[in-house]
Amino acid sequence: MAIDVTADLPELLADFGVTVTVGAGTAATTFTGIFQNEYEAQSVYGFDIDSSRPVLTVRTADVSTMTTESTMSISSTTYYVLSRQDDGTGLSTLILGRD
Amino acid sequence: MANTRQDIVDHFKSQVDNVNGLNVYEWQVTPLMEAKLPAAIVRDTEGAMPTDKEMARRHHYLTIEVDLAASSSTSPSTVRELMASVLSAIGADKTLGGHAYDTTPLSATLMVSEGDQRVCGAQMVFQVKYITSLWAI
């Protein structure tokens, strides 16, 4: 049976989502996304450097105005958008970097 | 058993270590924690050994690579500064404590990698020329 991710998204976000804050002060807005930050070694020449790959899965509607370099706060850490990948079904994956 | 190649690598490392704030490693092969950056890894790789047929001695042309890395959004400019500092530190004593008769920089190349942090790396390649007896390194 196929999984309808879009239909299940509200439940997934409620169970696994974290609060994402965009902007600051009275202008700040929040939405919920599923945040993953798995280990990934970064290689530059002879170096392997301990690192991770932060990825946020969200409703496309929540990030419609976000572009590369847009910033957000997740658990008190500021991230910026390296890449926004809309899947066309209402879901978007944001590849993030630390500010 | 003491050998000139070891003396040269020791002196090379200590001269790179003179660069302020740089953590220096030799032949580091396991991943480094980001907190250890900026860092340099020194590797003595290829050692060509053309024989001087006129005398009972051996010339050595030793390649030493210095890999540099720094993190943060300003890392490319940081690494350019590190490259300049390493070049200056090696140039301060091209004989590496009297063990070599010349040291020459051959190349300096830059690259950027994007993970959760931007990391900029550089590879500098040097050639160290020294002489030993025929059956020594």
Side-chain angles (χ1 to χ4, degrees), chain A residues 47, chain B residues 16 22-26 32 38-42 66-69 86:
Chain A
F47 276 91
Chain B
V16 174
L22 194 59
N23 294 308
V24 182
Y25 302 89
E26 180 184 332
L32 271 183
I41 299 177
V42 174
V66 182
D67 294 330
L68 298 166
V86 167

Side-chain angles (χ1 to χ4, degrees), chain A residues 35-40 51-55 79 98, chain B residues 116:
Chain A
F35 182 67
Q36 295 168 287
N37 196 16
E38 290 179 6
Y39 177 87
E40 182 180 285
S51 184
S52 59
R53 169 56 68 200
V55 174
Y79 293 91
R98 252 188 299 149
Chain B
D116 72 325

Side-chain angles (χ1 to χ4, degrees), chain B residues 70-83 110-112 118-122:
Chain B
S71 65
S72 89
S73 55
T74 59
S75 54
S77 59
T78 304
V79 169
R80 280 185 212 107
E81 273 181 37
L82 288 174
M83 288 162 76
L110 203 72
M111 75 176 284
V112 173
R118 171 176 284 191
V119 174
C120 184

Side-chain angles (χ1 to χ4, degrees), chain B residues 45-93:
Chain B
T45 54
E46 185 184 351
M49 300 181 191
T51 307
D52 183 343
K53 291 178 180 165
E54 299 298 314
M55 303 178 75
R57 62 183 188 174
R58 192 178 305 280
H59 285 271
H60 297 262
Y61 299 160
L62 177 63
T63 300
I64 297 186
E65 296 173 3
V66 182
D67 294 330
L68 298 166
S71 65
S72 89
S73 55
T74 59
S75 54
S77 59
T78 304
V79 169
R80 280 185 212 107
E81 273 181 37
L82 288 174
M83 288 162 76
S85 299
V86 167
L87 207 53
S88 172
I90 297 302
D93 178 12

